[in-house]
Amino acid sequence: MLYYRIMNETQAVSALSALAHAQRLRVFRALVVAGPEGLTPSILADQLDVARNTLSFHLKELAHAGLVTIEQQGRNLIYRAEYSRMNGLIGYLTEHCCQGGVCEVSPSSAICTTC
Amino acid sequence: MLYYRIMNETQAVSALSALAHAQRLRVFRALVVAGPEGLTPSILADQLDVARNTLSFHLKELAHAGLVTIEQQGRNLIYRAEYSRMNGLIGYLTEHCCQGGVCEVSPSSAICTTC
DNA sequence: ACAATGATTCAATAAATGTTGTATTATCGA
DNA sequence: TCGATAATACAACATTTATTGAATCATTGT
């Protein structure tokens, strides 16, 4: 029972690069906490005290890496964390752990499978 | 029963930056697969076809981020993946998921707890 | 139609990161 | 002690990434 798809190296580097920045990491974690409801750029900008054009740039990076999704609602955009992508990244990092020995990664390593 | 310690933002960004590079990611994954025995820089350099000074630079980055440990054995160094750090990073990324609702992260999200 | 709001785009500058060749340090074995 | 091997450190250059302010695009409400 797999809840995600293991990604390739390019996708993993892209996701890791996207998260390897303090502001983007804060944005992503805020979206993880927000859950399925998601957040708008305005709310995020206020909450995290980031300039809106800067935030827009960083959200684009996260979206390009597949870590967040965008839905338009009127003149607002709703950003949401893409849990399956996050789980795919975790799977990529831990794949074939310890040569398939005692530490074998089980599908239960995935998080947020119900989102 | 916690197998890792949730890290702070600086540590998380450091770990993510270290992994956000194709060669370093390959190195880390090779060490994850190698398990507790670890690998020497020579073996890694041969296996991954990287110049030794370049590999040394990248290993230093991984070590600085706490993702690998170093043990000296004669003139060889043994590098090992630091599983607890990896688990700490995963914990940091998924903390308070979905406002503690249906997707609450359980300690079982940690991987390689027996390493 | 028009002003206001939400959000993104662009271009220029500033800052951080990666690569390469060379040099250095330390250990091993004859 | 000397040559060979394992590994790291340094410096110069090239590349990538981040920030900022101003401009643009789209939607809503009057």
Side-chain angles (χ1 to χ4, degrees):
Chain A
M1 189 148 148
L2 273 178
Y3 300 100
Y4 57 89
R5 183 173 299 281
I6 296 283
M7 50 184 49
N8 65 34
E9 182 181 84
T10 302
Q11 293 172 320
V13 169
S14 173
L16 290 162
S17 297
L19 294 171
H21 182 286
Q23 286 186 327
R24 282 197 296 267
L25 188 53
R26 274 181 222 141
V27 169
F28 181 76
R29 297 212 321 151
L31 291 173
V32 165
V33 173
E37 289 177 23
L39 293 172
T40 64
S42 312
I43 295 174
L44 279 167
D46 290 350
Q47 189 173 315
L48 303 174
D49 198 30
V50 187
R52 307 215 163 179
N53 54 357
T54 303
L55 177 64
S56 181
F57 170 78
H58 290 313
L59 281 169
K60 199 176 69 173
E61 294 286 302
L62 288 169
H64 183 256
L67 287 166
V68 305
T69 58
I70 314 176
E71 183 196 342
Q72 180 146 19
Q73 274 187 13
R75 64 180 143 184
N76 292 310
L77 296 181
I78 313 288
Y79 280 87
R80 296 187 181 87
E82 181 67 36
Y83 297 96
S84 64
R85 190 70 160 190
M86 185 73 246
N87 287 332
L89 177 62
I90 292 171
Y92 187 83
L93 291 172
T94 58
E95 207 176 13
H96 309 312
C97 173
C98 301
Q99 310 174 67
V102 287
C103 301
E104 186 170 15
V105 179
S106 71
S108 70
S109 296
I111 45 94
C112 300
T113 53
T114 58
C115 284
Chain B
M1 189 149 151
L2 270 178
Y3 300 101
Y4 57 89
R5 184 172 300 280
I6 295 282
M7 51 184 46
N8 64 35
E9 182 181 87
T10 301
Q11 293 171 321
V13 168
S14 174
L16 290 163
S17 297
L19 294 172
H21 182 285
Q23 287 185 326
R24 283 197 296 266
L25 188 52
R26 276 181 220 143
V27 169
F28 181 75
R29 297 212 323 151
L31 291 173
V32 165
V33 173
E37 289 177 23
L39 293 172
T40 64
S42 312
I43 295 175
L44 279 166
D46 291 350
Q47 190 172 313
L48 301 175
D49 197 31
V50 187
R52 306 214 165 179
N53 55 357
T54 304
L55 177 64
S56 181
F57 170 77
H58 290 314
L59 281 170
K60 199 178 72 174
E61 293 286 302
L62 288 168
H64 184 255
L67 287 166
V68 305
T69 58
I70 313 176
E71 181 195 345
Q72 183 145 18
Q73 275 188 9
R75 66 178 143 183
N76 291 311
L77 297 180
I78 312 287
Y79 281 87
R80 295 188 180 87
E82 181 68 36
Y83 296 96
S84 64
R85 191 70 161 189
M86 183 75 246
N87 288 331
L89 177 61
I90 293 172
Y92 187 82
L93 291 172
T94 57
E95 206 176 14
H96 308 313
C97 172
C98 302
Q99 309 174 69
V102 286
C103 299
E104 186 170 15
V105 178
S106 70
S108 69
S109 297
I111 45 94
C112 298
T113 52
T114 59
C115 284

